[in-house]
Amino acid sequence: MSEQGSEARHVIRPYRPADESAVVALWETCGLTRPWNDPRADLSRAHERDPDLLLVAVSAHGGENGSKPGIVGTVMAGYDGHRAWIYYLATAPTHRGRGIARALIAEAERRLQRLGSPKVQLMVRAENTGVAGLYEKLGYVRSDVIVLQRVLPGA
């Protein structure tokens, strides 16, 4: 676990299955879910395959409105031996601007480097233009690639 901020406002730790409902709710609030993807299945598969690369940020003190401590951020990462990927970076709207996304990315990158990853990539949905600036501030550059996908039969 790593504490972030001078007052340890949040703690980054690996996801636990008991976090599922809170994580899915955060992803829904942040607009990361899609009808054709089951976020619970994504969590289950990621946790089974790479449990140390599925991270949550937990607020240490709750929100300004007196809410109890809870999950305020997530990031999912994966490494295939050639490059790493980052997915599902989310920060609760009530906690944005506090460095949570930056801390989650930094922790994911540290873990990926320990696995030997020489590079990390991520995809940003075309309509999510606001987040591109954050990634650019963190040293990410745009790549001139086209991403294609195919849903496998039975998936």
Side-chain angles (χ1 to χ4, degrees):
M1 271 192 285
S2 79
E3 290 189 359
Q4 306 295 327
S6 59
E7 299 170 26
R9 295 180 187 182
H10 58 275
V11 174
I12 295 175
R13 64 163 171 78
Y15 165 88
R16 299 175 189 147
D19 299 330
E20 180 184 272
S21 293
V23 168
V24 170
L26 176 63
W27 289 354
E28 288 172 346
T29 297
C30 293
L32 297 181
T33 59
R34 294 297 182 262
W36 55 86
N37 282 347
D38 178 355
R40 286 174 170 74
D42 286 350
L43 281 167
S44 178
R45 286 189 298 262
H47 186 253
E48 183 177 313
R49 180 170 167 81
D50 291 309
D52 291 334
L53 296 178
L54 179 55
L55 305 172
V56 297
V58 181
S59 70
H61 305 297
E64 304 80 35
N65 61 359
S67 63
K68 62 183 179 181
I71 293 174
V72 295
T74 65
V75 69
M76 179 189 294
Y79 177 52
D80 62 17
H82 177 63
R83 71 176 51 110
W85 287 89
I86 289 181
Y87 312 89
Y88 283 115
L89 177 66
T91 302
T94 57
H95 286 70
R96 290 186 181 156
R98 300 182 189 187
I100 294 170
R102 183 179 303 266
L104 283 162
I105 290 285
E107 184 61 24
E109 288 175 348
R110 275 192 289 279
R111 290 169 185 241
L112 292 165
Q113 282 183 306
R114 281 199 306 260
L115 293 173
S117 180
K119 59 187 166 185
V120 62
Q121 294 184 185
L122 51 86
M123 293 178 281
V124 176
R125 289 194 179 102
E127 70 271 12
N128 193 5
T129 57
V131 76
L134 166 69
Y135 291 124
E136 289 168 349
K137 286 179 186 174
L138 296 176
Y140 287 77
V141 296
R142 294 175 190 249
S143 297
D144 188 18
V145 297
I146 296 172
V147 178
L148 305 171
Q149 76 171 13
R150 179 174 188 255
V151 177
L152 298 175

